[in-house]
Amino acid sequence: MTEWGRGYLHLCTKKTEIILKIKNMEGNMFCYQCQEAAKGIGCTLKGVCGKNDTTARAMDLLLFVVRGVSIVSTALRKQEKMFDCKRVDSFVTDALFCTITNANFDEESILRRVEAGLQLRNELMAQAGQEGLALSQVDELTWNGTRTDYAEKAKLVGVLREPNEDLRSLKELLVYGLKGMAAYHEHAMRLGHSDETIHAFMQEALCRLAVETLSADDLVALVLRTGEVGVRTMALLDAANTGRYGHPEMTRVNIGVGKRPGILISGHDLRDLEDLLEQTEGTGIDVYTHSEMLPAHYYPAFKKYAHFVGNYGNAWWKQREEFAAFNGPIVFTTNCIVPPLKDASYKDRIFTGNSTGYPGCKHLETDAEGHKDFSEVIAMARQCQPPTELETGELIGGFAHNQVMQLADTVVGAVKSGAIRKFVVMAGCDGRMKSRDYYAEFAKALPKDTVILTAGCAKYKYNKLPLGDIQGIPRVLDAGQCNDSYSLALIALKLKEVFGLNDINELPIVYNIAWYEQKAVIVLLALLSLGVKQIHLGPTLPAFLSPGVLKVLVDTFGIGGISSVDEDLKRFGLLG
């Protein structure tokens, strides 16, 4: 093992000692699912993301209930018994999605989901009883609490319920992968694309966590299987998006503002954007994207809307200052929410939808046909001032797999001639930690014969830098959202075919990926399932990796971290 690997293993051992102390602090929350976990170990008093301890424990209880529902649904499926699959699938997917980082801070909405889940579980159990099915007598099925019992029960069913550190690490890695998978599947479901085998896998995996005594090897196999299903999930979402809105194409996106009132929409839900654009057409109101919604401009179907003006601002973590300056209403279709400060001028202008929520903010419900009524948002926008201009100019993007394939001859020719020496995948997430400035500096320092492949909000660290092009090919090829990392995998596989290589790892591609939350986890597992090795994660490795699990990832897949820009340029073979 490298010196780097030994150093990280030592750090993980120290984390373990601290976690054991935390476990004895009865009643505290414990969450380490995101990159900003406090001190690189875990949040115990309040989440760095902003969620409070009671909301965190309510989410633990919801996941407990989801496991119970999944036990019964899996048993019914295995015996080929008919049940309300659509209701179960929607509940499990939504529950997993709403517990990812920065998605839902509304404790009451989480508790309502707990109640709905218990009712659903009991109905399924009654049906199983009528069918003569024997169910495991585990806590997830035998516990029937009320609101007065929730808080105490939640203390017993969180992350630290598993005493073995390596098993706990693998179980949480699995759950976080499932959360990311649920997010992507939910986006596809909103567009009428649902794969019952994906639902069945998610529920069976949750069932196995609850009813089986799984060894480390069992869990490793299940985690890798999660990656395989993750690839299928991202392919499903790609088909859903492109089937309805066309293939993303090279597009220049305005980052300035107009003179009319505007509505700002964030997140990943293209169905909500479609509804909003249709309902605002001809109203004198402009629509702008923020952060994760930027790639919507790349889809041909949305270009017919003249009032779809451009992208406003930067990555999600800058929203406090940018939302105040926007002046109009803000719509969250999915994560990422940064809790507004108490005196925030824009709090009353926030609307949430789908799996998101924030206390005191209006939640937009979805009707039976999947539509939302944005009339209240539109009425508010009419009373608001136009956005305050933050910047001017354009961004260029739209380099998903179909567009890059159309440029394949040019790209391959540039590689063969030596004009492009290496590709650097800098996909993933952005975040507020100062250490993430590394990615901007890394992009600036890359040799002029390298091209950045990106997807996700990590792009905001460098997509406005004047990095130029290589023979007309932009040096930053933006494929889109984090789920469009699937495009990057397809591009790599196509290059492998074109160059007649036997192994995807023989390609001149370096993976230097920034991660933040659980959608990035499923992308990582998907890449591992495709055989990609030597992936570097930053700005820190996940706090949920135990020493034993980290050793497996380092030894088997070459997973690594980052150091300094200069050292990494040398280590990745990007100099000379």
Side-chain angles (χ1 to χ4, degrees):
M1 181 178 291
T2 64
E3 187 62 33
W4 174 89
R6 285 189 289 272
Y8 262 90
L9 286 177
H10 175 72
L11 178 61
C12 283
T13 302
K14 287 294 182 184
K15 288 180 185 177
T16 300
E17 295 172 1
I18 297 172
I19 288 173
L20 289 175
K21 293 178 182 178
I22 291 171
K23 191 174 180 181
N24 294 324
M25 298 165 62
E26 185 176 353
N28 274 38
M29 66 173 280
F30 184 78
C31 180
Y32 60 0
Q33 69 177 3
C34 87
Q35 189 272 323
E36 290 185 340
K39 299 180 180 179
I41 298 168
C43 297
T44 58
L45 300 175
K46 183 178 182 178
V48 172
C49 65
K51 70 184 175 190
N52 61 39
D53 58 339
T54 57
T55 305
R57 288 195 291 271
M59 289 181 175
D60 289 339
L61 185 62
L62 178 57
L63 293 173
F64 169 79
V65 172
V66 167
R67 293 196 297 274
V69 170
S70 298
I71 293 169
V72 194
S73 66
T74 299
L76 290 167
R77 272 196 182 91
K78 287 185 175 179
Q79 296 301 316
E80 299 183 346
K81 304 296 183 181
M82 298 293 294
F83 65 99
D84 192 347
C85 291
K86 186 173 181 180
R87 182 181 169 201
V88 171
D89 296 344
S90 295
F91 171 76
V92 172
T93 301
D94 169 74
L96 288 171
F97 194 176
C98 79
T99 61
I100 70 171
T101 307
N102 285 347
N104 197 316
F105 296 83
D106 186 0
E107 185 176 333
E108 176 58 30
S109 78
I110 301 299
L111 294 176
R112 287 198 299 269
R113 286 175 168 90
V114 170
E115 291 172 335
L118 287 172
Q119 179 179 341
L120 176 58
R121 182 205 66 181
N122 289 341
E123 290 175 12
L124 292 171
M125 289 179 66
Q127 181 181 345
Q130 293 171 1
E131 299 282 2
L133 299 184
L135 298 172
S136 302
Q137 293 300 297
V138 292
D139 199 19
E140 283 85 349
L141 296 187
T142 59
W143 184 77
N144 273 292
T146 63
R147 283 250 181 158
T148 56
D149 308 311
Y150 286 1
E152 287 304 310
K153 186 63 176 178
K155 295 176 183 179
L156 306 175
V157 297
V159 172
L160 300 179
R161 69 191 181 280
E162 170 55 66
N164 182 286
E165 61 180 346
D166 290 335
L167 296 181
R168 179 171 64 239
S169 179
L170 287 167
K171 287 180 178 181
E172 294 308 307
L173 176 57
L174 171 62
V175 170
Y176 303 155
L178 293 175
K179 288 186 180 188
M181 185 186 300
Y184 292 148
H185 202 178
E186 197 266 356
H187 300 330
M189 291 164 64
R190 294 272 294 123
L191 295 174
H193 288 243
S194 183
D195 186 330
E196 185 59 25
T197 65
I198 295 174
H199 289 299
F201 171 78
M202 289 195 296
Q203 291 162 39
E204 182 179 5
L206 291 165
C207 167
R208 294 186 64 188
L209 285 177
V211 304
E212 295 183 27
T213 302
L214 298 170
S215 67
D217 287 342
D218 293 332
L219 287 165
V220 168
L222 196 51
V223 165
L224 293 178
R225 176 64 178 150
T226 301
E228 294 174 14
V229 181
V231 173
R232 195 160 74 243
T233 307
M234 288 189 279
L236 179 74
L237 178 55
D238 180 75
N241 286 340
T242 58
R244 190 177 184 106
Y245 305 115
H247 283 283
E249 57 192 22
M250 185 171 64
T251 305
R252 294 186 179 277
V253 182
N254 171 46
I255 58 175
V257 299
K259 296 181 179 180
R260 306 195 305 180
I263 295 171
L264 190 62
I265 184 168
S266 184
H268 305 80
D269 197 298
L270 297 182
R271 178 69 183 275
D272 282 349
L273 174 63
E274 181 183 7
D275 280 350
L276 180 62
L277 288 172
E278 288 180 352
Q279 293 174 38
T280 50
E281 194 167 24
T283 63
I285 295 168
D286 291 331
V287 174
Y288 298 79
T289 57
H290 186 265
S291 192
E292 292 90 351
M293 193 60 83
L294 164 64
H297 293 278
Y298 311 153
Y299 289 91
F302 297 129
K303 294 182 179 182
K304 67 182 180 182
Y305 298 100
H307 65 299
F308 191 31
V309 173
N311 189 72
Y312 188 85
N314 297 277
W316 61 272
W317 60 276
K318 289 191 174 183
Q319 61 189 244
R320 284 177 174 169
E321 58 196 82
E322 292 176 353
F323 286 2
F326 184 75
N327 300 322
I330 301 108
V331 177
F332 279 103
T333 67
T334 62
N335 61 309
C336 299
I337 298 174
V338 175
L341 299 174
K342 290 182 179 180
D343 60 349
S345 62
Y346 62 86
K347 184 174 180 181
D348 293 339
R349 293 189 270 116
I350 292 177
F351 294 81
T352 62
N354 309 313
S355 298
T356 68
Y358 195 82
C361 293
K362 175 75 174 182
H363 189 78
L364 301 171
E365 299 296 339
T366 305
D367 67 21
E369 284 72 44
H371 295 287
K372 289 186 178 63
D373 180 357
F374 288 101
S375 57
E376 189 173 345
V377 182
I378 294 168
M380 179 183 288
R382 293 182 191 275
Q383 307 302 315
C384 296
Q385 293 296 310
T388 301
E389 190 169 79
L390 299 177
E391 56 195 335
T392 59
E394 293 179 327
L395 292 173
I396 186 169
F399 296 97
H401 58 89
N402 188 69
Q403 178 66 88
V404 174
M405 296 310 176
Q406 292 180 22
L407 300 172
D409 290 344
T410 304
V411 172
V412 170
V415 173
K416 289 182 175 178
S417 71
I420 296 177
R421 184 165 56 90
K422 281 201 176 182
F423 297 93
V424 183
V425 175
M426 293 178 67
C429 315
D430 196 11
R432 59 198 134 203
M433 292 178 70
K434 182 68 176 174
S435 57
R436 287 182 181 267
D437 289 346
Y438 161 94
Y439 294 101
E441 297 306 315
F442 189 85
K444 291 178 188 176
L446 283 172
K448 302 299 183 184
D449 56 1
T450 56
V451 171
I452 296 172
L453 302 175
T454 190
C457 59
K459 68 172 73 70
Y460 284 102
K461 285 300 182 191
Y462 43 80
N463 67 347
K464 296 176 183 178
L465 297 175
L467 298 180
D469 64 83
I470 300 174
Q471 298 179 359
I473 303 167
R475 288 193 57 227
V476 177
L477 296 181
D478 174 19
Q481 300 171 338
C482 51
N483 55 277
D484 290 311
S485 298
Y486 173 70
S487 273
L488 304 185
L490 288 184
I491 291 167
L493 290 171
K494 183 63 177 179
L495 289 174
K496 170 177 169 282
E497 175 188 331
V498 169
F499 289 111
L501 303 176
N502 295 318
D503 188 334
I504 195 171
N505 297 293
E506 296 175 14
L507 286 167
I509 298 179
V510 173
Y511 295 84
N512 191 8
I513 298 176
W515 81 284
Y516 183 78
E517 43 84 15
Q518 297 75 64
K519 295 199 300 301
V521 173
I522 190 59
V523 170
L524 171 64
L525 297 182
L527 289 174
L528 295 181
S529 77
L530 292 171
V532 177
K533 296 186 178 182
Q534 303 298 322
I535 298 173
H536 295 269
L537 296 177
T540 59
L541 285 183
F544 53 81
L545 294 181
S546 68
V549 173
L550 178 59
K551 186 175 187 304
V552 170
L553 292 175
V554 171
D555 291 348
T556 307
F557 301 104
I559 292 288
I562 60 173
S563 52
S564 70
V565 170
D566 289 342
E567 289 178 6
D568 287 344
L569 288 172
K570 295 175 184 175
R571 186 156 56 113
F572 303 160
L574 294 169
L575 296 180

